[in-house]
């Protein structure tokens, strides 16, 4: 689907280079699936809110190595989310590397099939983030159950990341940042441009809101059968996501404007516990 003119104009103004999925070869099907999941989550939020379909949402993949994701209002009633495609590649690689090590979650599958080796589990592949279309040599689990677990963790992380960005719009964060702090967008990395306490509070609120919607059934997910997704797997995937985003950002960027990843992970786990107790 072509990027709407209002979204493309906003990305151009902010010097965020849009990337069409078809231009990324083997990654195109995966990026299109991410776009479908984004639409699914946005539709769900519209359905349960007072919005009732008045707000339009667009996901665009961008080339900006210093950015993980950014949410903005492209025009009145039109929310845009920009996601650096290198973040997608980095996430998939990270979960595969984690589950390819026998010391990581040894209770999953047959961990004895994995080789003990020195793997930089959360090492950012800078060439992935800096060169469009570049790839990394894949390291994947040998055990099929562990490989499938890594795959589900990847999609759990993608779902949470998309819900987190949409939360900034649905929770009124964009309006607050624009009206109170003069910020036109909210980025998951980049220079600190607002009061630390303001951004930390917004991040915690978005994490909690996203966590509450994260456990809902995902239509057509293989192996889920319409049931609520597994909270322990989700908690693991999200905690890894937080630490990875923390490391990617580096000192002086998102580290300065986001709570520590352990704090964010505890908040999400608390949301999961409350939902489990209310369901029981």
């Amino acid at each position: 689907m072509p990027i709407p003119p209002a979204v493309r104009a906003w990305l151009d103004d902010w010097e965020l280079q849009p990337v069409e999925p078809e231009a990324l070869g083997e990654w195109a099907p995966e990026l299109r699936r991410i776009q479908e999941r984004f639409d699914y989550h946005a539709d769900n939020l519209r359905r349960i809110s007072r919005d009732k379909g008045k707000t339009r949402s667009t996901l665009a993949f961008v080339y900006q190595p210093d950015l993980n994701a950014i949410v903005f209002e492209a025009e009145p009633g039109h929310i845009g989310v920009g996601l650096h495609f290198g973040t997608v590649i980095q996430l998939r690689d990270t979960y595969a590397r984690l589950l390819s090590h026998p010391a990581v979650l040894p209770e999953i599958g047959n961990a004895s099939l994995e080789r003990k080796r020195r793997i930089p589990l959360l090492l950012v592949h800078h060439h992935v983030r800096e060169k469009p279309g570049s790839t990394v040599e894949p390291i994947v689990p040998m055990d099929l159950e562990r490989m499938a677990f890594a795959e589900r963790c990847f999609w759990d992380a993608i779902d949470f990341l998309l819900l987190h960005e949409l939360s900034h719009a649905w929770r009124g964060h964009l309006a607050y940042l624009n009206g109170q702090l003069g910020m036109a967008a909210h980025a998951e990395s980049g220079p600190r441009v607002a009061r630390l306490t303001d951004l930390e509070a917004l991040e915690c609120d978005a994490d909690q809101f996203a966590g509450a919607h994260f456990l809902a059934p995902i239509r057509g997910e293989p192996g889920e059968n319409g049931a609520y997704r597994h909270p322990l797997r989700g908690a693991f995937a999200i905690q890894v996501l937080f630490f990875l985003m923390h490391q990617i950002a580096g000192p002086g960027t998102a580290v300065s404007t986001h709570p520590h990843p352990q704090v964010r992970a505890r908040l999400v786990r608390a949301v999961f516990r409350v939902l489990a107790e209310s369901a029981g």
Side-chain angles (χ1 to χ4, degrees):
M1 175 185 295
I3 299 174
V7 173
R8 183 174 289 275
W10 197 97
L11 295 174
D12 290 342
D13 286 345
W14 281 65
E15 298 181 350
L16 299 175
Q17 179 182 335
V19 178
E20 297 291 348
E22 289 70 20
L24 294 177
E26 62 181 298
W27 285 94
E30 193 127 291
L31 298 186
R32 284 196 295 269
R33 186 179 174 192
I34 292 173
Q35 286 182 319
E36 291 172 358
R37 293 173 90 97
F38 175 85
D39 293 338
Y40 177 77
H41 292 308
D43 288 343
N44 273 346
L45 291 177
R46 279 192 289 268
R47 179 175 51 82
I48 64 176
S49 71
R50 298 177 183 177
D51 183 85
K52 302 303 180 185
K54 295 179 182 177
T55 300
R56 181 184 179 188
S57 302
T58 297
L59 173 68
F61 295 101
V62 300
Y63 167 54
Q64 176 47 267
D66 296 326
L67 181 77
N68 292 315
I70 189 167
V71 57
F72 53 92
E73 187 174 42
E75 58 185 341
H78 190 171
I79 301 302
V81 172
L83 177 61
H84 175 50
F85 70 86
T87 298
V88 175
I89 299 173
Q90 180 67 60
L91 284 172
R92 178 170 285 288
D93 180 64
T94 295
Y95 293 109
R97 284 172 177 263
L98 281 167
L99 271 297
S100 69
H101 197 290
V104 177
L105 299 178
E107 67 276 13
I108 302 297
N110 185 0
S112 65
L113 294 178
E114 310 302 340
R115 289 189 296 152
K116 289 186 178 180
R117 52 191 170 188
R118 184 185 177 94
I119 300 177
L121 298 178
L122 297 180
L123 176 64
V124 177
H125 300 286
H126 291 287
H127 64 286
V128 170
R129 302 187 64 81
E130 293 172 2
K131 297 179 182 178
S134 61
T135 60
V136 295
E137 182 179 353
I139 297 178
V140 298
M142 301 297 293
D143 179 68
L144 294 180
E145 185 176 344
R146 292 173 67 82
M147 183 185 296
F149 189 89
E151 172 79 4
R152 291 299 305 128
C153 284
F154 166 74
W155 287 109
D156 282 348
I158 290 294
D159 284 328
F160 185 86
L161 181 57
L162 297 176
L163 282 165
H164 177 94
E165 296 308 314
L166 288 167
S167 297
H168 283 308
W170 256 262
R171 294 290 290 170
H173 299 170
L174 290 179
Y176 170 78
L177 290 170
N178 188 34
Q180 300 295 321
L181 303 176
M183 295 173 61
H186 186 61
E188 293 305 310
S189 61
R192 183 168 64 184
V193 291
R195 295 190 297 270
L196 172 62
T197 52
D198 288 312
L199 292 186
E200 285 191 342
L202 297 185
E203 287 302 323
C204 289
D205 186 67
D207 286 341
Q208 290 176 305
F209 186 80
H213 291 278
F214 171 82
L215 291 181
I218 298 296
R219 179 183 57 206
E221 279 302 287
E224 300 289 317
N225 296 321
Y228 284 77
R229 77 173 86 212
H230 199 291
L232 294 180
R233 187 193 67 210
F236 168 77
I238 292 169
Q239 183 159 352
V240 172
L241 171 68
F242 287 157
F243 275 98
L244 185 62
M245 298 300 100
H246 182 90
Q247 187 188 60
I248 287 174
T253 56
V255 174
S256 302
T257 58
H258 290 56
H260 191 276
Q262 288 184 343
V263 173
R264 300 179 71 184
R266 282 197 298 269
L267 281 173
V268 173
R269 288 197 299 269
V271 171
F272 288 177
R273 285 195 298 270
V274 170
L275 291 175
E277 292 169 359
S278 62

